[in-house]
Amino acid sequence: MLAKDCKRKVILTGDRPTGKLHLGHFVGSLQRRVELQNSGQFDEINILVADDQALTDNWDNPKKVRDNIIEVTLDYLSAGIDPDKSFICIQSGIPALHALTFYYMNLVTTQRLSRNPTVKSEMLMRGFNGSESEDDNVAGLPAGFFTYPVSQTADITAFKATTVPAGEDQMPMIEQAREIAHRFNTIYKCDVLVEPDILIPENAAQRRLPGIDGKAKMSKSLGNGIFLSDDAATVKKKVMSMYTDPTHINVADPGHVEGNMVFTYLDAFLRDDSQFADYLPDYKNLEEMKEHYQRGGLGDMKCKKFLLKVMEDLLQPIRENRAKWETNINDVYDILKAGTDHAVQVTNQTLHECRDAMRINYFDDKDAMVKSWESWLNESHTKN
Ligand code: TRP
């Protein structure tokens, strides 16, 4: 490996195109990607629209996946992913990922895969309980779904990613990728694959953003999300209906900020204290505001109005960007095409290096096949 290659800092991350991205995606990962992109510290940034992975639990609805490729790409671009600085690519257009997945399958046991906590909880949510049944609500466990962490390992290692900015729920995937990369390099005595690091948000509210109902993680299927593409009226309605503190009945009552979505969202989305000066000059910072709420005398409506201003500071520019990209959908298509072409080159190179390490590039390496066979033949003759 060249010394230069050792120092290359590469990002690979991605999302399943199964729906529009919401604020949980934004604070959990997308915002960080944009910051890292603009930091100039990375030699290469690739964002993967993981349509093949999306098919592992949507095999009966490829149209949903297809339509959401554009939808998710619009979310990326409007949130600040810059096609001059980052590549956006489509997983199914990158054949080396499939080939690598097949080799990596041998380096992991089914026992190891069944310990993955993210896959376990996703299986539960989808009713894949692992036993075949006549009952339509209890489905067997599809092999493709069960093994998607192996395919995700291929995504990450094919780009030789050093860094994966992603949500907390992706930690087991990165752990799996590190193990497989390490095993590959050990077994085939090479240093082709890079063991990646995950980057998760530092702020707890950003790591696991609850839905506006306060019940669970924000998710499209639970209907408790605010989407990057929501219009201003929808965002207002959602913020006004947010779960706060059921014991805070009168304005004068002392209130709780823990488990109160308005304060959780302020923790996650407040950009800086200047937003107080602009919209709520009664307080200098969030601490002061929280203290007043806890003491009593600060009403939910006032808090929600402030949160709405903070949300709109974030969402309005994203909305404007989206409107521009939506009228240039052919450009979006070209960006995906260029990103995928680039990905094909990079990942084919890694696949080639992996096959070299395994000495199975038969038609580039005649010796690996013919000479190896000849010496094997000689050996077996001398033994007899
Ligand atoms: N599993 C990720 C999700 O659920 C999507 C994904 C696919 C991904 N390949 C990846 C994330 C590689 C990070 C790196 O959204």
Side-chain angles (χ1 to χ4, degrees), residues 12-16 48 50 53 152 155-156 164 170:
L12 181 282
T13 182
D15 299 277
R16 294 180 196 174
L48 179 81
Q53 190 179 109
Q152 189 158 333
D155 302 340
I156 296 168
V164 182
Q170 296 300 302

Side-chain angles (χ1 to χ4, degrees), residues 306-323:
F306 177 57
L307 174 62
L308 186 60
K309 294 280 190 194
V310 169
M311 302 300 325
E312 281 303 315
D313 271 0
L314 173 80
L315 291 171
Q316 181 55 28
I318 296 179
R319 217 175 272 135
E320 281 168 15
N321 284 340
R322 175 179 270 268

Side-chain angles (χ1 to χ4, degrees), residues 167-188:
E168 194 176 35
D169 61 329
Q170 296 300 302
M171 281 172 80
M173 305 299 159
I174 309 307
E175 206 41 55
Q176 184 70 82
R178 293 178 63 90
E179 281 174 36
I180 293 179
H182 185 79
R183 282 206 75 186
F184 187 96
N185 288 345
T186 308
I187 291 170
Y188 303 112

Side-chain angles (χ1 to χ4, degrees), residues 5-26:
D5 285 338
C6 300
K7 286 201 214 91
R8 260 178 81 76
K9 289 175 75 181
V10 177
I11 287 181
L12 181 282
T13 182
D15 299 277
R16 294 180 196 174
T18 51
K20 301 159 185 274
L21 300 184
H22 53 58
L23 287 177
H25 296 116
F26 183 80

Side-chain angles (χ1 to χ4, degrees), residues 177-211:
R178 293 178 63 90
E179 281 174 36
I180 293 179
H182 185 79
R183 282 206 75 186
F184 187 96
N185 288 345
T186 308
I187 291 170
Y188 303 112
K189 300 185 178 57
C190 64
D191 57 4
V192 173
L193 299 182
V194 177
E195 291 180 40
D197 289 315
I198 189 168
L199 255 189
I200 58 173
E202 283 143 28
N203 170 327
Q206 298 187 339
R207 269 203 301 276
R208 189 161 264 271
L209 188 74

